[in-house]
């Protein structure tokens, strides 16, 4: 039974090594690194974000030889709400603003068009128009700014990008009883505990199946509390999916809600699939015949419920599933009393002939990083106990 998977297997972690996703090169990765392999066998990746350093496109055959090939260019602006994202409003009818964090990459097998889904927040990089739950800000208080997920595409192998649209928005609107950025009749969230939208995500592309799955987190924060650790109330994982196409066009996501994929990606309702789960990332293990999710248990870390944490609360949790919806209780692995992991944790295949989210053997790599830090690589493997 899958609930006993980590009673039968443990993960052995090797020495850590540096990767090319390095802030010394002004590539400040803040989240897990999106990767995808094209039909020619090339492994592509994107790293960085727009308000601290730059975003670059990388290419190689595997993590062993992947390297930067160019910084990206966008045919749209980020930043202030007066001009950001070509004026395409958030689905709530609010002018968009801020930066882009690329977290999902897919390459159409027939047209070779690159699609990138990116994280966006209203409180960072707004160039004078950033806002959080309380109002206009320079940086958000206790992460109380609102998340959306956007889509852009490239027809020159990740060099130049066009903005398409906003594809994922929380059920709760991106405004509160304290602040409405549009100043109109829209009613903001009225409770003290506010939900801050869809973001901090990754994608899982079925190699042979029909769907692209998007696993994302939603944060709930009590805006009456000043202490960061007391303010955060929950951070849970959700999932949506869109149907794969082969004509250079990307469809819309449908959220999982109440037992089915049935709610709109924008402003639809959503059901939790994993509690206390920050930035979920999923792979499929062929030897184990199950899906494996890495994430961070952020609420229990904030509350001091995990032993051995350092001041940055570095920790990874691992769980498994056979249907992408129902997940086992997460497991944390310790080395000399210290939990393995970091703020962002991603299993990546080391093979050169499959997608990075497919494990053909029990040996693989784990990429770990914090906010804007060097992405470190750990060789790892499943050991049967």
């Amino acid at each position: 039974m899958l609930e006993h998977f980590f009673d039968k297997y443990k993960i052995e972690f090797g020495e850590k090594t540096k990767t090319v996703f390095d802030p010394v090169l002004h590539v400040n990765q803040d989240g897990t690194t999106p990767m995808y392999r094209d039909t020619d066998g090339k492994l592509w990746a994107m790293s960085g974000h727009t308000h601290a350093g730059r975003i670059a496109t990388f290419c190689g055959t595997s993590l062993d030889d992947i390297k930067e090939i160019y910084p990206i260019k966008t045919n749209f602006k980020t930043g202030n709400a007066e001009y950001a994202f070509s004026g395409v409003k958030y689905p709530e009818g609010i002018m968009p603003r801020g930066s882009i964090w690329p977290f999902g990459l897919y390459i159409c097998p027939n047209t070779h068009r690159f699609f990138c889904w990116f994280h966006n927040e209203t409180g960072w990089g707004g160039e004078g128009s950033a806002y959080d739950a309380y109002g206009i800000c320079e940086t958000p208080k206790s992460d109380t700014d609102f998340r959306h997920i956007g889509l852009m595409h490239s027809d020159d192998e990740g060099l130049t990008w066009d903005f398409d649209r906003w594809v994922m928005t929380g059920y709760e609107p991106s405004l509160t009883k304290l602040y409405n950025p549009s100043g109109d009749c829209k009613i903001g969230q009225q409770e003290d505990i506010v939900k801050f939208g869809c973001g901090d995500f990754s994608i899982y592309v079925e190699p042979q199946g029909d769907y692209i799955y998007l696993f994302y987190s939603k944060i709930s924060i009590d805006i009456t509390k000043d202490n960061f650790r007391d303010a955060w109330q929950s951070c849970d994982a959700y999932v949506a999916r869109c149907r794969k196409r082969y004509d250079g066009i990307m469809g819309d996501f449908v959220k999982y809600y109440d037992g089915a994929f049935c709610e709109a990606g924008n402003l639809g309702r959503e059901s939790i699939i994993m509690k206390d789960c920050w930035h979920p990332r999923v792979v499929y293990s062929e030897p184990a015949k199950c899906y494996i999710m890495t994430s961070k248990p952020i609420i229990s870390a904030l509350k001091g419920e995990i032993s051995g944490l350092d001041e940055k609360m570095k920790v990874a949790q691992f769980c498994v599933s056979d249907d992408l919806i129902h997940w086992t209780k997460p497991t944390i692995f310790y080395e000399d009393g210290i939990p393995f992991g970091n703020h962002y944790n991603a299993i990546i295949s080391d093979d050169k002939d499959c997608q990075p989210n497919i494990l053909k053997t029990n040996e693989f790599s784990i990429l770990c990083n914090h906010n804007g830090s060097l992405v470190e690589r750990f060789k790892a493997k499943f050991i049967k106990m």
Side-chain angles (χ1 to χ4, degrees):
M1 299 293 289
L2 284 181
E3 60 262 33
H4 302 298
F5 182 84
F6 288 114
D7 293 333
K8 300 176 182 177
Y9 292 91
K10 69 174 183 178
I11 301 178
E12 182 179 279
F13 306 100
E15 293 289 326
K16 70 179 177 183
T17 58
K18 293 182 177 181
T19 71
V20 294
F21 312 118
D22 191 341
V24 171
L25 304 175
H26 306 291
V27 176
N28 300 287
Q29 183 59 24
D30 187 9
T32 61
T33 305
M35 298 183 182
Y36 199 75
R37 194 177 298 279
D38 68 15
T39 54
D40 298 321
K42 295 178 182 177
L43 179 65
W44 297 85
M46 298 176 70
S47 187
H49 58 94
T50 52
H51 75 266
R54 60 197 177 89
I55 300 172
T57 296
F58 297 75
C59 189
T61 65
S62 71
L63 283 174
D64 293 332
D65 62 10
I66 199 167
K67 63 182 180 181
E68 180 181 342
I69 52 174
Y70 31 66
I72 76 162
K73 303 173 184 177
T74 58
N75 291 326
F76 59 94
K77 294 181 179 180
T78 58
N80 192 280
E82 291 186 5
Y83 47 74
F85 301 102
S86 304
V88 179
K89 292 181 178 180
Y90 296 134
E92 300 98 322
I94 298 168
M95 294 300 294
R97 63 207 73 198
S99 304
I100 58 177
W101 287 258
F103 287 163
L105 181 63
Y106 174 73
I107 303 169
C108 176
N110 289 339
T111 66
H112 207 62
R113 172 170 281 184
F114 284 40
F115 291 96
C116 174
W117 293 272
F118 61 84
H119 172 95
N120 166 261
E121 296 186 27
T122 63
W124 293 96
E127 299 175 356
S129 67
Y131 76 93
D132 60 15
Y134 308 92
I136 292 293
C137 65
E138 291 188 12
T139 58
K141 178 182 177 181
S142 299
D143 278 324
T144 59
D145 61 332
F146 297 91
R147 282 89 170 143
H148 296 83
I149 298 173
L151 173 68
M152 60 184 183
H153 75 269
S154 170
D155 289 333
D156 55 8
E157 296 191 320
L159 172 61
T160 308
W161 295 85
D162 292 313
F163 176 66
D164 292 320
R165 63 191 187 275
W166 302 103
V167 299
M168 289 288 290
T169 305
Y171 174 68
E172 304 80 10
S174 298
L175 56 153
T176 69
K177 61 184 178 181
L178 301 179
Y179 184 66
N180 177 351
S182 301
D184 57 14
C185 67
K186 287 193 291 291
I187 299 172
Q189 297 185 51
Q190 298 297 296
E191 304 298 323
D192 291 337
I193 297 177
V194 175
K195 295 184 182 297
F196 289 94
C198 305
D200 305 295
F201 70 95
S202 67
I203 66 167
Y204 174 82
V205 182
E206 291 185 316
Q208 307 300 328
D210 295 328
Y211 293 101
I212 299 170
Y213 288 83
L214 190 151
F215 294 88
Y216 61 99
S217 295
K218 285 184 70 178
I219 302 165
S220 297
I221 296 175
D222 187 337
I223 60 175
T224 68
K225 297 184 183 297
D226 291 327
N227 183 283
F228 182 84
R229 291 174 184 264
D230 293 335
W232 276 52
Q233 301 298 302
S234 66
C235 180
D236 304 319
Y238 303 77
V239 65
R241 71 183 186 186
C242 71
R243 188 173 292 276
K244 288 158 63 176
R245 298 175 62 102
Y246 303 92
D247 52 7
I249 298 170
M250 184 56 62
D252 288 329
F253 282 100
V254 178
K255 291 176 178 176
Y256 179 78
Y257 174 71
D258 196 23
F261 288 94
C262 60
E263 287 279 326
N266 283 318
L267 300 172
R269 295 169 295 180
E270 49 232 325
S271 290
I272 297 170
I273 62 166
M274 173 66 68
K275 287 186 173 293
D276 196 8
C277 181
W278 167 258
H279 208 93
R281 175 94 173 219
V282 173
V283 299
Y284 182 76
S285 168
E286 291 183 350
K289 295 181 172 56
C290 66
Y291 302 96
I292 305 165
M293 178 193 289
T294 51
S295 62
K296 175 179 176 174
I298 196 166
I299 298 299
S300 53
L302 284 169
K303 304 302 182 186
E305 298 170 359
I306 300 173
S307 64
L309 290 182
D310 64 9
E311 69 280 359
K312 288 192 173 183
M313 299 184 295
K314 298 177 181 178
V315 56
Q317 62 184 6
F318 300 80
C319 54
V320 297
S321 170
D322 58 9
D323 63 2
L324 296 171
I325 303 297
H326 304 91
W327 294 88
T328 61
K329 181 180 178 180
T331 296
I332 296 171
F333 291 94
Y334 283 79
E335 293 186 305
D336 299 323
I338 299 173
F340 172 84
N342 208 321
H343 197 51
Y344 302 107
N345 307 282
I347 294 176
I348 302 291
S349 172
D350 287 329
D351 292 295
K352 297 182 178 181
D353 59 351
C354 67
Q355 290 298 342
N357 60 1
I358 302 298
L359 306 183
K360 291 182 135 184
T361 72
N362 283 327
E363 298 188 18
F364 48 90
S365 289
I366 304 179
L367 300 185
C368 298
N369 59 286
H370 214 281
N371 297 327
S373 72
L374 172 70
V375 179
E376 297 174 324
R377 179 185 183 186
F378 295 83
K379 288 277 194 173
K381 58 184 175 181
F382 285 123
I383 303 293
K384 194 166 186 177
M385 294 189 290

